[in-house]
Amino acid sequence: MIRPVAAPAQTVWRFGPQLLDSDRTRFRLWAPDAEGEITLEVEGLEPLAMHVPNAEEHPGDDAERASWRVAEAACGAGARYLFRLADGSLVPDPASRLQGNDIHDPSVVVDPQRYVWRNTQWAGRPWHETILYELHVGALGGFRGVMAHLPAIAAHGFTAIELMPVADFPGANNWGYDGVLPYAPDASYGSPDDLRALIDAAHDLGLMVFLDVVYNHFGPDGNYLNAYARRFFRTDVPTPWGSAIDFREPEVRRFFTENALYWLTEFRFDGLRFDAVHAIADPDWLDQTALILRTQFGPARQIHLILENEHNAAHHLVSSFDAQWNDDGHNVLHVLLTGEHDGYYADFAEHPAQGLARVLSQGFIYQGQVSKHLSSAERTVQRGEPSAHLPPTSFVLFLQNHDQIGNRAFGERLTLLAMREALRAAIALQLLCPQIPLCFMGEETGSTTPFLFFTQHGPELADAVREGRRREFARFPSFADAQAREKIPDPNHPNTFLSSVPQPAKSDTQSWSELYRTLLMLRQRVLFPHLAGMTSSGASVIGPAAVAARWQMDPAGGGQTLALFTNLGAQAVTLDATLRASAGQLLFETTQGAAKALGPDASGILPAYTTVAYLEFKH
């Protein structure tokens, strides 16, 4: 039920420009390590020396204000500006709301109140009703292009879209994880109001909108912070992308917490997905920020928060965050579907059916065990925390996503890597189990289009990125030869991006679409009313690539049980009589007639490449 929500009052942000009236703006810059004078330069106006703010201009004590600079200028929305440091260099606002064109260009003052929202009554949807459709905004034609795809996404049964990062990055083609201006929607995708219009249009269709945000690093191009705010980074903790962000610093914590609030308030996103939080050296910031966000909105709006976290730190999911991307689930399903066991798949190659049963019954596979992939001769790495106490909806389950496709050398999808019937059986398992499903753009039409890693850097950085990516694959046997690595697509070549724009399957698009529509509508009709209270009744291995799993419905379900039987292997398996389906209702089967063999008095033979879903009645 949609509850009325009052339009939020304009927030006064600590970071970024503040419109005081239509023709006057206050500019702020946190510059604790700047030496000498900083000047505000607004196009068309005389340069203004910035000064340490007084209490009216900036809250806080004197020591805190001493690291800030402010200036007021006779300009309004649309004004273009830069900050000039004492050495003469010009830098954009790190909290820019829009760039004139790209990351090195002037920042632009934006009026967040200009857009008139249609859906003033929208209050979100409950988390258990989430069915995520992850997409890359650029690949679908920018904010307006995504808007055009929304009716088809909703018609398939998805209830939410998740945008890969939109914060300003170098060039026009980029995954978004090289962003350096976290508050500015990338101008190549459209204006901030285009993004608001996209979210409004999604809400028209009952779709939630989630945003992937990157708080673990800044990109390598256009990051000027070291010139005046070195305290953003700590020198004692490295990450794959450079020095770690220093979340011990109060203003740094505020910068990112305020950024999360900004997306949820000024753009009315329904939730955020926090990228790679295992690279955040001070994880207490995560729970603190989650508390601030939930306190800010209270019951007025349903705000959902998702983690990506290699550490499987289940304690974050008890109250702070709704769910975590379940990489364990993906990895073991990928092994079962493809037989691959290189790289991190090595952790899932032994007894994969047992791993899948653990995923379905307890969430994570790794709950403190030693990781073969992360361990070495010099160290032993235990990964994860116990997760069996968490509800199934604490885990986002996917067969593919931007990482799992795009981090492959040639960006292949499962439509090219797995047997068709096995993939269909895995899809049925994913979409009908109680964990929150996520699909990547193109899955619903059986796309075979690759999704490659692409960037648009200048020549020097482009060379480094291309060679660095090829070095990443040198440890794999198939790329040990330099000539083989030369065939890996150049991330900076325009065709790498263009070939990643998803196209439907050439021959059986309708078949794939019907599968997704059927399963997602079934999930909405049968599972939605009971998902919030579902609990695992356990899962059993029934074959080398086969499992049987059950979940107890909430009390409103009358004691019914959801039972899923999945065989991803090439050989039929026989179920023990105690594991077969009891009296109930057949919900779905990927192999016609398979369900007839699973009843209490039947043969108990589950065919190859088959998933069967039952709703068992209480005796």
Side-chain angles (χ1 to χ4, degrees):
M1 179 180 180
I2 296 178
R3 300 184 297 270
V5 180
Q10 182 172 1
T11 304
V12 177
W13 303 108
R14 183 179 292 257
F15 294 87
Q18 178 191 354
L19 275 171
L20 300 177
D21 54 45
S22 61
D23 58 1
R24 191 153 194 85
T25 302
R26 178 179 293 155
F27 297 86
R28 297 186 181 91
L29 180 68
W30 186 59
D33 303 303
E35 297 179 359
E37 185 176 79
I38 300 176
T39 303
L40 169 68
E41 300 199 359
V42 180
E43 288 187 6
L45 300 179
E46 291 295 318
L48 288 170
M50 303 187 77
H51 61 272
V52 174
N54 57 39
E56 187 276 329
E57 293 171 319
H58 193 87
D61 58 33
D62 291 343
E64 180 183 303
R65 285 197 295 273
S67 62
W68 284 84
R69 299 294 181 271
V70 301
E72 290 185 13
C75 62
R80 296 160 63 94
Y81 67 100
L82 289 162
F83 300 119
R84 186 179 293 278
L85 306 181
D87 64 2
S89 59
L90 288 165
V91 300
D93 189 340
S96 168
R97 271 40 176 180
L98 176 66
Q99 288 298 102
N101 184 36
D102 208 352
I103 54 174
H104 302 290
D105 294 315
S107 302
V108 181
V109 177
V110 172
D111 181 0
Q113 301 298 307
R114 186 179 66 176
Y115 182 82
V116 180
W117 291 91
R118 291 191 309 277
N119 285 286
T120 58
Q121 305 300 304
W122 176 263
R125 299 182 63 158
W127 171 244
H128 67 268
E129 292 185 1
T130 304
I131 304 171
L132 288 160
Y133 185 91
E134 188 193 20
L135 60 89
H136 183 273
V137 173
L140 294 189
F143 297 135
R144 293 286 175 177
V146 173
M147 193 186 309
H149 284 80
L150 293 180
I153 293 170
H156 274 90
F158 295 98
T159 64
I161 60 171
E162 181 177 312
L163 312 183
M164 289 173 65
V166 303
D168 212 327
F169 47 75
N173 302 326
N174 194 291
W175 273 19
Y177 300 91
D178 285 335
V180 291
L181 298 170
Y183 289 77
D186 196 273
S188 67
Y189 291 165
S191 70
D193 281 354
D194 287 336
L195 176 54
R196 292 182 175 95
L198 163 61
I199 294 169
D200 228 357
H203 291 167
D204 285 342
L205 296 167
L207 290 168
M208 294 179 283
V209 188
F210 290 74
L211 178 64
D212 195 343
V213 291
V214 183
Y215 297 150
N216 53 69
H217 75 286
F218 288 89
D221 185 9
N223 175 16
Y224 294 97
L225 289 167
N226 274 310
Y228 57 86
R230 291 188 299 276
R231 292 180 218 182
F232 255 97
F233 307 99
R234 50 189 304 175
T235 58
D236 58 331
V237 179
T239 76
W241 311 284
S243 298
I245 293 172
D246 194 350
F247 281 92
R248 299 169 302 180
E249 169 60 54
E251 294 293 36
V252 173
R253 294 172 82 97
R254 290 190 186 104
F255 181 85
F256 290 107
T257 299
E258 193 165 283
N259 182 260
L261 277 168
Y262 162 77
W263 292 117
L264 295 172
T265 54
E266 291 200 357
F267 291 88
R268 303 193 183 188
F269 278 97
D270 296 279
L272 303 172
R273 180 257 192 191
F274 290 64
D275 176 68
V277 300
H278 48 268
I280 293 176
D282 303 276
D284 66 296
W285 172 80
L286 293 168
D287 298 309
Q288 181 190 65
T289 293
L291 177 61
I292 290 171
L293 298 179
R294 298 197 185 284
T295 301
Q296 172 83 7
F297 295 103
R301 276 178 59 194
Q302 301 193 63
I303 298 298
H304 307 304
L305 307 175
I306 310 167
L307 293 176
E308 181 195 23
N309 190 353
E310 285 185 0
H311 294 161
N312 283 3
H315 69 274
H316 290 303
L317 308 178
V318 174
S319 59
S320 298
F321 288 82
D322 294 273
Q324 177 180 312
W325 274 26
N326 196 349
D327 285 302
D328 285 6
H330 164 272
N331 294 347
V332 74
L333 282 164
H334 189 91
V335 168
L336 286 164
L337 287 169
T338 68
E340 294 180 355
H341 51 77
D342 289 338
Y344 50 75
Y345 293 130
D347 276 346
F348 306 88
E350 293 183 11
H351 312 298
Q354 182 177 332
L356 179 57
R358 188 171 171 91
V359 163
L360 295 174
S361 61
Q362 299 185 26
F364 297 138
I365 294 176
Y366 279 82
Q367 301 179 33
Q369 303 98 305
V370 172
S371 165
K372 295 179 181 179
H373 171 64
L374 296 175
S375 298
S376 65
E378 294 78 25
R379 61 172 188 165
T380 298
V381 178
Q382 291 178 297
R383 175 171 171 260
E385 299 172 355
S387 60
H389 60 290
L390 296 169
T393 52
S394 294
F395 308 93
V396 175
L397 185 62
F398 43 86
L399 298 177
Q400 301 175 89
N401 61 38
H402 73 274
D403 269 333
Q404 304 298 351
I405 303 172
N407 283 337
R408 302 179 65 85
F410 299 106
E412 307 100 322
R413 293 172 179 262
L414 284 175
T415 43
L416 296 178
L417 300 172
M419 292 284 295
R420 182 179 186 276
E421 294 309 315
L423 178 55
R424 291 172 71 88
I427 290 167
L429 173 67
Q430 177 209 6
L431 299 186
L432 293 181
C433 90
Q435 296 188 21
I436 299 297
L438 176 143
C439 301
F440 187 64
M441 60 178 187
E443 284 190 66
E444 80 286 5
T445 58
S447 179
T448 59
T449 305
F451 186 72
L452 299 162
F453 178 69
F454 48 81
T455 58
Q456 194 175 38
H457 291 300
E460 183 177 343
L461 193 53
D463 290 344
V465 169
R466 180 181 59 253
E467 296 310 314
R469 180 161 176 80
R470 290 173 178 172
R471 281 195 303 273
E472 284 180 17
F473 289 95
R475 57 193 173 91
F476 294 95
S478 55
F479 293 103
D481 181 78
Q483 288 185 329
R485 295 196 296 276
E486 287 293 319
K487 297 178 181 178
I488 297 174
D490 178 358
N492 223 56
H493 195 286
N495 286 343
T496 304
F497 166 72
L498 293 174
S499 62
S500 299
V501 176
Q503 303 296 328
K506 294 180 179 179
S507 59
D508 58 352
T509 299
Q510 188 62 32
S511 173
W512 288 105
S513 290
E514 287 178 358
L515 177 67
Y516 277 88
R517 289 174 191 265
T518 299
L519 291 168
L520 293 182
M521 295 307 177
L522 184 62
R523 182 180 183 90
Q524 292 195 33
R525 178 171 56 84
V526 176
L527 299 190
F528 272 14
H530 310 292
L531 272 176
M534 269 193 176
T535 56
S536 173
S537 299
S540 302
V541 175
I542 57 176
V547 298
R550 286 177 166 86
W551 296 267
Q552 190 70 34
M553 296 283 198
D554 66 356
Q560 296 175 348
T561 298
L562 171 66
L564 292 178
F565 305 88
T566 296
N567 181 10
L568 301 180
Q571 303 297 321
V573 298
T574 302
L575 279 76
D576 183 273
T578 60
L579 292 175
R580 297 176 198 170
S582 61
Q585 173 191 357
L586 171 66
L587 296 177
F588 188 81
E589 57 183 346
T590 58
T591 301
Q592 188 173 3
K596 295 179 181 178
L598 297 179
D601 301 318
S603 64
I605 297 176
L606 183 65
Y609 307 138
T610 296
T611 289
V612 179
Y614 271 99
L615 193 60
E616 297 177 326
F617 302 144
K618 187 176 182 180
H619 294 293

